[in-house]
Amino acid sequence: MSSLVFAGSNFIGRRSEPLYEDPFDIGAGGTTLTWATQEGILINNPALLPYGEKLIRWLGFKGNIISGFSKDSQETLKNLGQGETSTEESQSEQGQIDEFISLLPLHLGLSTTGSFITNNGGAAVFAANELDVNFWEKGDPELGVGTPNIIIRNEAYGGAYASLATRTFWRWLSLGLSFKYVLLQANSETIDPTNLEQIQGLQEKFSEFSANGIGQGMGADGAFLMFFQGSHVDFRIAGSVVNVGKLKLTGGSRSSLPQMLNLGLGLSFHSTVDVIHFSLDIRDVTDESADIPDNGNIYSKNYRKIHLGVRAMLRTYLGLAAGLYHGNPTYGLELDLIFMRLAAAFYTREYVLTPGIEKRPILTLSITSGLTF
Protein backbone atom coordinates (compact mmCIF):
# COMPACT_ATOMS: atom_id res chain seq x y z
CA MET A 1 0.00 0.00 0.00
CA SER A 2 1.14 3.55 -0.68
CA SER A 3 -0.12 7.09 -0.46
CA LEU A 4 -0.29 10.23 -2.55
CA VAL A 5 -1.34 13.79 -1.86
CA PHE A 6 -2.32 16.79 -3.96
CA ALA A 7 0.68 19.07 -3.81
CA GLY A 8 0.09 22.74 -3.11
CA SER A 9 -3.56 22.45 -2.12
CA ASN A 10 -5.73 21.45 0.80
CA PHE A 11 -7.13 18.41 -1.01
CA ILE A 12 -6.45 14.95 0.29
CA GLY A 13 -5.28 12.27 -2.10
CA ARG A 14 -4.61 8.76 -0.90
CA ARG A 15 -2.74 8.66 2.38
CA SER A 16 -3.31 5.53 4.44
CA GLU A 17 -5.58 4.08 1.73
CA PRO A 18 -4.01 1.62 -0.74
CA LEU A 19 -3.40 2.84 -4.27
CA TYR A 20 -5.73 0.14 -5.60
CA GLU A 21 -8.94 -1.11 -3.95
CA ASP A 22 -11.21 -3.89 -5.19
CA PRO A 23 -14.89 -2.84 -5.42
CA PHE A 24 -16.13 -5.64 -3.18
CA ASP A 25 -13.49 -4.80 -0.57
CA ILE A 26 -14.59 -1.14 -0.71
CA GLY A 27 -18.16 -2.33 -0.23
CA ALA A 28 -16.95 -3.89 3.04
CA GLY A 29 -15.69 -0.53 4.25
CA GLY A 30 -12.29 -0.92 2.62
CA THR A 31 -11.25 -3.53 5.22
CA THR A 32 -8.49 -5.66 3.71
CA LEU A 33 -6.13 -6.82 6.47
CA THR A 34 -8.03 -9.94 7.57
CA TRP A 35 -9.90 -10.56 4.30
CA ALA A 36 -9.04 -9.32 0.83
CA THR A 37 -10.07 -10.11 -2.73
CA GLN A 38 -7.66 -11.44 -5.38
CA GLU A 39 -4.84 -8.93 -6.00
CA GLY A 40 -5.97 -7.07 -2.88
CA ILE A 41 -4.19 -9.80 -0.91
CA LEU A 42 -0.83 -8.92 -2.47
CA ILE A 43 -1.35 -5.18 -2.02
CA ASN A 44 -2.76 -5.23 1.52
CA ASN A 45 -1.69 -8.37 3.41
CA PRO A 46 0.32 -11.11 1.64
CA ALA A 47 0.22 -13.16 4.86
CA LEU A 48 -3.31 -14.17 3.79
CA LEU A 49 -1.86 -16.21 0.90
CA PRO A 50 -1.21 -19.57 2.68
CA TYR A 51 -4.86 -19.96 3.64
CA GLY A 52 -6.22 -20.46 0.14
CA GLU A 53 -8.10 -23.63 -0.68
CA LYS A 54 -6.38 -24.13 -4.05
CA LEU A 55 -2.72 -24.10 -5.07
CA ILE A 56 -3.39 -21.64 -7.92
CA ARG A 57 -5.77 -19.19 -6.33
CA TRP A 58 -6.20 -16.83 -9.28
CA LEU A 59 -5.00 -16.02 -12.77
CA GLY A 60 -6.85 -13.27 -14.56
CA PHE A 61 -7.59 -9.66 -15.43
CA LYS A 62 -9.98 -7.06 -14.03
CA GLY A 63 -11.42 -3.77 -15.27
CA ASN A 64 -13.18 -1.16 -13.12
CA ILE A 65 -15.40 1.80 -14.01
CA ILE A 66 -15.73 4.53 -11.39
CA SER A 67 -18.43 7.21 -11.42
CA GLY A 68 -19.25 9.85 -8.82
CA PHE A 69 -22.26 12.08 -8.46
CA SER A 70 -23.73 14.67 -6.12
CA LYS A 71 -26.23 17.51 -6.17
CA ASP A 72 -24.68 19.46 -3.30
CA SER A 73 -23.65 22.38 -5.50
CA GLN A 74 -26.65 22.51 -7.82
CA GLU A 75 -28.64 25.10 -5.90
CA THR A 76 -25.68 27.46 -5.45
CA LEU A 77 -24.99 27.36 -9.17
CA LYS A 78 -28.21 29.16 -9.91
CA ASN A 79 -26.90 32.28 -8.21
CA LEU A 80 -23.79 32.47 -10.35
CA GLY A 81 -23.82 35.25 -12.92
CA GLN A 82 -27.45 36.27 -12.42
CA GLY A 83 -26.57 39.94 -12.82
CA GLU A 84 -27.80 41.79 -15.86
CA THR A 85 -26.08 40.96 -19.13
CA SER A 86 -25.44 43.75 -21.61
CA THR A 87 -25.36 41.85 -24.89
CA GLU A 88 -26.75 38.75 -26.51
CA GLU A 89 -23.18 37.43 -26.73
CA SER A 90 -22.67 37.71 -22.98
CA GLN A 91 -26.01 36.02 -22.42
CA SER A 92 -24.96 33.20 -24.72
CA GLU A 93 -21.63 32.82 -22.93
CA GLN A 94 -23.32 32.80 -19.55
CA GLY A 95 -25.71 30.14 -20.81
CA GLN A 96 -22.81 27.90 -21.84
CA ILE A 97 -21.12 28.45 -18.50
CA ASP A 98 -24.30 27.65 -16.57
CA GLU A 99 -24.85 24.56 -18.70
CA PHE A 100 -21.36 23.27 -17.91
CA ILE A 101 -21.60 24.02 -14.20
CA SER A 102 -24.98 22.29 -14.01
CA LEU A 103 -23.17 19.03 -14.82
CA LEU A 104 -20.93 19.31 -11.75
CA PRO A 105 -19.71 17.63 -9.62
CA LEU A 106 -18.22 15.19 -12.10
CA HIS A 107 -16.16 12.18 -11.03
CA LEU A 108 -14.93 9.57 -13.50
CA GLY A 109 -12.29 6.88 -13.34
CA LEU A 110 -10.94 3.72 -14.90
CA SER A 111 -8.62 1.06 -13.56
CA THR A 112 -7.30 -2.30 -14.67
CA THR A 113 -5.32 -5.10 -13.04
CA GLY A 114 -3.72 -8.38 -13.97
CA SER A 115 -2.63 -10.91 -11.37
CA PHE A 116 -1.33 -14.42 -10.76
CA ILE A 117 -1.81 -15.69 -7.20
CA THR A 118 -0.79 -18.96 -5.52
CA ASN A 119 -0.84 -20.19 -1.93
CA ASN A 120 2.70 -18.98 -1.31
CA GLY A 121 3.24 -16.08 -3.66
CA GLY A 122 1.96 -14.02 -6.54
CA ALA A 123 2.39 -11.00 -8.76
CA ALA A 124 0.07 -8.20 -9.83
CA VAL A 125 0.18 -5.10 -12.01
CA PHE A 126 -2.35 -2.29 -11.90
CA ALA A 127 -3.07 1.13 -13.38
CA ALA A 128 -5.79 3.62 -12.49
CA ASN A 129 -6.86 7.19 -13.16
CA GLU A 130 -9.55 9.28 -11.45
CA LEU A 131 -10.70 12.76 -12.46
CA ASP A 132 -12.87 14.99 -10.27
CA VAL A 133 -14.35 18.37 -11.26
CA ASN A 134 -16.55 20.44 -8.96
CA PHE A 135 -17.91 23.98 -8.48
CA TRP A 136 -17.42 25.82 -5.21
CA GLU A 137 -19.51 28.87 -4.46
CA LYS A 138 -16.71 30.05 -2.16
CA GLY A 139 -13.02 29.51 -2.81
CA ASP A 140 -12.31 27.52 0.35
CA PRO A 141 -15.12 25.16 1.42
CA GLU A 142 -13.64 24.71 4.91
CA LEU A 143 -13.16 28.39 5.74
CA GLY A 144 -16.29 29.45 3.83
CA VAL A 145 -14.56 32.41 2.19
CA GLY A 146 -13.29 33.26 -1.27
CA THR A 147 -14.61 33.80 -4.77
CA PRO A 148 -16.45 31.12 -6.79
CA ASN A 149 -14.24 28.71 -8.70
CA ILE A 150 -14.15 25.39 -10.44
CA ILE A 151 -11.68 22.91 -8.98
CA ILE A 152 -10.16 20.14 -11.09
CA ARG A 153 -8.35 17.22 -9.47
CA ASN A 154 -6.66 14.34 -11.21
CA GLU A 155 -5.05 11.24 -9.70
CA ALA A 156 -3.08 8.66 -11.65
CA TYR A 157 -1.38 5.71 -10.04
CA GLY A 158 -0.08 2.31 -10.96
CA GLY A 159 2.61 -0.22 -10.27
CA ALA A 160 3.56 -3.83 -9.77
CA TYR A 161 3.66 -6.11 -6.73
CA ALA A 162 5.52 -9.39 -6.16
CA SER A 163 4.67 -11.22 -2.93
CA LEU A 164 5.82 -14.22 -0.90
CA ALA A 165 4.25 -15.80 2.18
CA THR A 166 4.62 -18.83 4.43
CA ARG A 167 3.20 -20.39 7.56
CA THR A 168 5.56 -20.54 10.49
CA PHE A 169 6.28 -23.34 12.99
CA TRP A 170 3.10 -22.17 14.69
CA ARG A 171 0.49 -23.10 12.11
CA TRP A 172 -1.78 -20.27 13.21
CA LEU A 173 0.83 -17.66 12.29
CA SER A 174 1.79 -16.69 8.74
CA LEU A 175 4.20 -14.05 7.46
CA GLY A 176 4.16 -12.21 4.15
CA LEU A 177 6.38 -9.86 2.22
CA SER A 178 5.61 -7.74 -0.86
CA PHE A 179 8.10 -5.96 -3.09
CA LYS A 180 6.64 -3.17 -5.17
CA TYR A 181 7.29 -0.59 -7.84
CA VAL A 182 4.84 2.33 -7.74
CA LEU A 183 3.98 5.24 -10.01
CA LEU A 184 1.85 8.10 -8.74
CA GLN A 185 0.74 11.54 -9.78
CA ALA A 186 -1.77 13.99 -8.33
CA ASN A 187 -2.65 17.46 -9.60
CA SER A 188 -5.21 20.12 -8.78
CA GLU A 189 -6.16 23.33 -10.57
CA THR A 190 -8.73 26.08 -10.12
CA ILE A 191 -10.35 28.08 -12.91
CA ASP A 192 -12.64 31.09 -13.03
CA PRO A 193 -16.26 29.91 -13.50
CA THR A 194 -17.13 33.12 -15.36
CA ASN A 195 -14.38 32.61 -17.95
CA LEU A 196 -15.77 30.59 -20.88
CA GLU A 197 -12.35 30.43 -22.52
CA GLN A 198 -10.85 28.66 -19.50
CA ILE A 199 -13.76 26.24 -19.36
CA GLN A 200 -13.44 25.45 -23.05
CA GLY A 201 -9.71 24.83 -22.50
CA LEU A 202 -10.29 22.09 -19.94
CA GLN A 203 -9.24 19.37 -22.38
CA GLU A 204 -5.82 21.03 -22.71
CA LYS A 205 -5.62 21.20 -18.94
CA PHE A 206 -6.23 17.45 -18.69
CA SER A 207 -3.42 16.90 -21.19
CA GLU A 208 -1.13 19.07 -19.07
CA PHE A 209 -1.94 16.91 -16.06
CA SER A 210 -0.80 13.76 -17.85
CA ALA A 211 2.42 15.47 -18.96
CA ASN A 212 3.43 16.61 -15.46
CA GLY A 213 6.07 14.75 -13.47
CA ILE A 214 5.22 11.29 -12.20
CA GLY A 215 6.72 10.10 -8.92
CA GLN A 216 8.15 6.60 -8.97
CA GLY A 217 9.96 4.37 -6.55
CA MET A 218 10.56 0.87 -5.22
CA GLY A 219 9.79 -0.40 -1.73
CA ALA A 220 8.57 -3.25 0.41
CA ASP A 221 5.70 -4.10 2.77
CA GLY A 222 5.74 -6.71 5.54
CA ALA A 223 2.68 -8.36 7.08
CA PHE A 224 1.51 -11.03 9.51
CA LEU A 225 -1.69 -12.95 10.16
CA MET A 226 -2.68 -14.84 13.30
CA PHE A 227 -5.47 -17.19 12.22
CA PHE A 228 -7.26 -19.14 14.96
CA GLN A 229 -9.57 -21.59 13.21
CA GLY A 230 -12.53 -23.37 14.75
CA SER A 231 -15.18 -25.69 13.40
CA HIS A 232 -17.66 -22.82 12.97
CA VAL A 233 -15.91 -19.70 14.29
CA ASP A 234 -12.56 -18.18 13.23
CA PHE A 235 -10.68 -15.26 14.76
CA ARG A 236 -7.96 -13.28 13.00
CA ILE A 237 -5.42 -10.69 14.09
CA ALA A 238 -3.45 -9.02 11.30
CA GLY A 239 -0.96 -6.27 10.77
CA SER A 240 1.21 -4.73 8.09
CA VAL A 241 4.13 -2.35 7.89
CA VAL A 242 3.79 -0.36 4.69
CA ASN A 243 6.72 1.33 2.92
CA VAL A 244 9.33 -0.24 5.19
CA GLY A 245 12.00 2.35 5.97
CA LYS A 246 10.11 4.90 3.81
CA LEU A 247 9.65 4.59 0.08
CA LYS A 248 11.95 6.97 -1.77
CA LEU A 249 10.48 8.68 -4.83
CA THR A 250 12.08 10.30 -7.84
CA GLY A 251 10.22 12.74 -10.06
CA GLY A 252 6.94 14.37 -9.16
CA SER A 253 6.41 16.61 -6.15
CA ARG A 254 7.05 14.09 -3.38
CA SER A 255 10.43 12.83 -2.16
CA SER A 256 9.14 9.84 -0.19
CA LEU A 257 6.15 7.99 1.20
CA PRO A 258 6.09 7.42 4.99
CA GLN A 259 6.36 4.06 6.71
CA MET A 260 2.98 3.20 8.26
CA LEU A 261 1.67 0.56 10.64
CA ASN A 262 -1.79 -0.95 10.04
CA LEU A 263 -3.64 -3.32 12.39
CA GLY A 264 -6.79 -5.38 11.85
CA LEU A 265 -9.19 -7.76 13.59
CA GLY A 266 -11.53 -10.26 11.97
CA LEU A 267 -14.25 -12.61 13.21
CA SER A 268 -15.92 -15.23 11.00
CA PHE A 269 -18.92 -17.49 11.47
CA HIS A 270 -19.14 -20.22 8.85
CA SER A 271 -20.60 -23.51 7.68
CA THR A 272 -19.06 -25.67 4.98
CA VAL A 273 -20.36 -23.38 2.20
CA ASP A 274 -21.43 -20.09 3.78
CA VAL A 275 -19.47 -17.52 5.79
CA ILE A 276 -20.04 -14.13 7.37
CA HIS A 277 -16.94 -12.11 8.25
CA PHE A 278 -16.74 -9.01 10.46
CA SER A 279 -13.62 -6.86 10.20
CA LEU A 280 -11.99 -3.78 11.69
CA ASP A 281 -8.95 -2.07 10.17
CA ILE A 282 -7.02 0.79 11.78
CA ARG A 283 -4.60 2.31 9.30
CA ASP A 284 -1.52 4.37 10.05
CA VAL A 285 -1.75 3.63 13.77
CA THR A 286 1.22 5.85 14.66
CA ASP A 287 0.06 8.82 12.52
CA GLU A 288 3.05 8.88 10.21
CA SER A 289 0.99 10.43 7.41
CA ALA A 290 0.30 13.38 9.73
CA ASP A 291 3.73 14.65 8.70
CA ILE A 292 2.30 15.59 5.29
CA PRO A 293 0.98 19.20 5.46
CA ASP A 294 -1.89 20.62 3.42
CA ASN A 295 -1.68 24.43 3.27
CA GLY A 296 -0.47 24.53 6.87
CA ASN A 297 -3.04 22.01 8.12
CA ILE A 298 -1.81 18.73 9.60
CA TYR A 299 -3.79 15.62 8.76
CA SER A 300 -5.04 14.01 11.96
CA LYS A 301 -8.60 12.98 11.18
CA ASN A 302 -9.26 9.50 12.53
CA TYR A 303 -12.42 9.16 10.48
CA ARG A 304 -10.24 8.29 7.47
CA LYS A 305 -8.17 5.76 9.40
CA ILE A 306 -10.85 3.52 10.91
CA HIS A 307 -12.59 1.09 8.58
CA LEU A 308 -15.40 -1.30 9.49
CA GLY A 309 -16.88 -4.03 7.32
CA VAL A 310 -18.97 -7.15 7.07
CA ARG A 311 -19.01 -9.67 4.21
CA ALA A 312 -21.45 -12.52 3.66
CA MET A 313 -20.43 -15.18 1.13
CA LEU A 314 -23.33 -17.45 0.20
CA ARG A 315 -22.69 -20.79 -1.52
CA THR A 316 -19.25 -19.46 -2.56
CA TYR A 317 -20.59 -17.49 -5.54
CA LEU A 318 -22.79 -14.70 -4.11
CA GLY A 319 -21.31 -12.02 -1.89
CA LEU A 320 -22.96 -9.18 0.03
CA ALA A 321 -21.02 -6.49 1.90
CA ALA A 322 -21.52 -3.36 3.98
CA GLY A 323 -19.25 -1.17 6.03
CA LEU A 324 -17.89 2.23 6.98
CA TYR A 325 -15.36 4.08 4.76
CA HIS A 326 -14.25 7.66 5.49
CA GLY A 327 -16.96 7.74 8.13
CA ASN A 328 -19.70 6.99 5.58
CA PRO A 329 -21.68 3.80 4.86
CA THR A 330 -20.66 1.46 2.03
CA TYR A 331 -22.44 -1.35 0.20
CA GLY A 332 -21.08 -4.08 -2.06
CA LEU A 333 -22.27 -6.95 -4.23
CA GLU A 334 -20.33 -9.77 -5.86
CA LEU A 335 -21.31 -12.56 -8.24
CA ASP A 336 -18.53 -15.12 -8.67
CA LEU A 337 -19.09 -17.36 -11.69
CA ILE A 338 -16.78 -20.04 -13.08
CA PHE A 339 -14.73 -17.87 -15.45
CA MET A 340 -16.13 -14.45 -14.63
CA ARG A 341 -16.67 -12.28 -11.57
CA LEU A 342 -18.94 -9.23 -11.39
CA ALA A 343 -18.72 -6.77 -8.51
CA ALA A 344 -20.19 -3.41 -7.55
CA ALA A 345 -19.78 -1.02 -4.65
CA PHE A 346 -21.23 2.25 -3.47
CA TYR A 347 -19.17 4.41 -1.12
CA THR A 348 -18.37 8.02 -0.27
CA ARG A 349 -14.95 9.62 -0.49
CA GLU A 350 -13.92 12.73 1.42
CA TYR A 351 -11.78 15.26 -0.46
CA VAL A 352 -10.84 17.77 2.24
CA LEU A 353 -9.66 17.58 5.84
CA THR A 354 -13.01 18.38 7.46
CA PRO A 355 -15.54 15.56 6.93
CA GLY A 356 -18.85 16.27 5.22
CA ILE A 357 -17.82 19.46 3.39
CA GLU A 358 -16.54 18.05 0.10
CA LYS A 359 -17.57 14.43 -0.17
CA ARG A 360 -18.32 12.50 -3.30
CA PRO A 361 -20.72 9.53 -3.48
CA ILE A 362 -19.10 7.04 -5.86
CA LEU A 363 -20.35 3.95 -7.67
CA THR A 364 -17.74 1.52 -8.97
CA LEU A 365 -18.34 -1.54 -11.15
CA SER A 366 -15.90 -4.24 -12.16
CA ILE A 367 -15.76 -7.27 -14.41
CA THR A 368 -13.09 -9.92 -13.93
CA SER A 369 -12.12 -12.76 -16.22
CA GLY A 370 -9.84 -15.57 -15.08
CA LEU A 371 -9.63 -19.00 -13.51
CA THR A 372 -8.46 -21.04 -10.54
CA PHE A 373 -7.09 -24.56 -10.61
Side-chain angles (χ1 to χ4, degrees), residues 16 33 238-240 259-264 281-290 302 305-306:
S16 57
L33 289 173
S240 67
Q259 175 178 296
M260 291 183 289
L261 171 65
N262 304 317
L263 295 175
D281 286 4
I282 302 176
R283 295 185 176 147
D284 190 16
V285 174
T286 56
D287 258 346
E288 297 301 322
S289 60
N302 290 327
K305 296 168 53 176
I306 298 174

Side-chain angles (χ1 to χ4, degrees), residues 20-87:
Y20 175 81
E21 295 174 286
D22 178 85
F24 190 64
D25 289 340
I26 296 177
T31 54
T32 51
L33 289 173
T34 59
W35 182 304
T37 304
Q38 295 172 343
E39 62 282 327
I41 296 174
L42 310 183
I43 295 172
N44 295 281
N45 188 353
L48 289 165
L49 286 170
Y51 296 95
E53 296 179 355
K54 298 181 179 180
L55 176 62
I56 306 299
R57 299 183 59 163
W58 178 251
L59 172 62
F61 299 89
K62 179 187 300 178
N64 297 332
I65 299 175
I66 305 161
S67 176
F69 52 92
S70 174
K71 295 185 178 180
D72 293 343
S73 60
Q74 299 301 304
E75 291 301 319
T76 62
L77 303 176
K78 297 177 181 179
N79 299 321
L80 180 67
Q82 284 192 345
E84 294 184 1
T85 54
S86 57
T87 66

Side-chain angles (χ1 to χ4, degrees), residues 182-356:
V182 299
L183 299 165
L184 53 89
Q185 179 190 53
N187 299 286
S188 66
E189 184 78 19
T190 59
I191 64 174
D192 182 355
T194 64
N195 190 321
L196 181 60
E197 184 177 344
Q198 285 190 3
I199 293 176
Q200 291 174 335
L202 280 178
Q203 187 169 353
E204 287 186 23
K205 184 61 65 178
F206 300 153
S207 298
E208 289 177 15
F209 281 168
S210 61
N212 286 341
I214 298 176
Q216 55 185 308
M218 300 179 67
D221 303 336
F224 75 88
L225 177 68
M226 301 169 65
F227 193 177
F228 304 101
Q229 294 178 285
S231 56
H232 296 289
V233 180
D234 300 339
F235 181 63
R236 308 182 190 191
I237 302 174
S240 67
V241 178
V242 180
N243 305 324
V244 175
K246 289 190 176 181
L247 192 155
K248 306 297 183 182
L249 294 172
T250 59
S253 59
R254 296 284 302 282
S255 61
S256 66
L257 299 177
Q259 175 178 296
M260 291 183 289
L261 171 65
N262 304 317
L263 295 175
L265 298 175
L267 179 64
S268 300
F269 299 92
H270 59 86
S271 65
T272 55
V273 292
D274 302 322
V275 61
I276 182 169
H277 181 79
F278 299 89
S279 51
L280 163 67
D281 286 4
I282 302 176
R283 295 185 176 147
D284 190 16
V285 174
T286 56
D287 258 346
E288 297 301 322
S289 60
D291 294 333
I292 305 172
D294 284 324
N295 278 355
N297 295 319
I298 300 300
Y299 175 82
S300 60
K301 299 294 185 181
N302 290 327
Y303 76 94
R304 294 177 64 93
K305 296 168 53 176
I306 298 174
H307 299 255
L308 296 171
V310 57
R311 299 168 173 84
M313 301 302 298
L314 308 176
R315 297 300 187 268
T316 71
Y317 61 85
L318 177 62
L320 304 173
L324 200 65
Y325 183 100
H326 286 189
N328 297 286
T330 64
Y331 309 95
L333 176 66
E334 174 186 78
L335 184 61
D336 200 347
L337 306 175
I338 297 176
F339 298 111
M340 181 179 295
R341 172 179 173 267
L342 304 175
F346 175 81
Y347 68 108
T348 300
R349 181 175 174 186
E350 299 278 357
Y351 266 103
V352 295
L353 294 169
T354 305

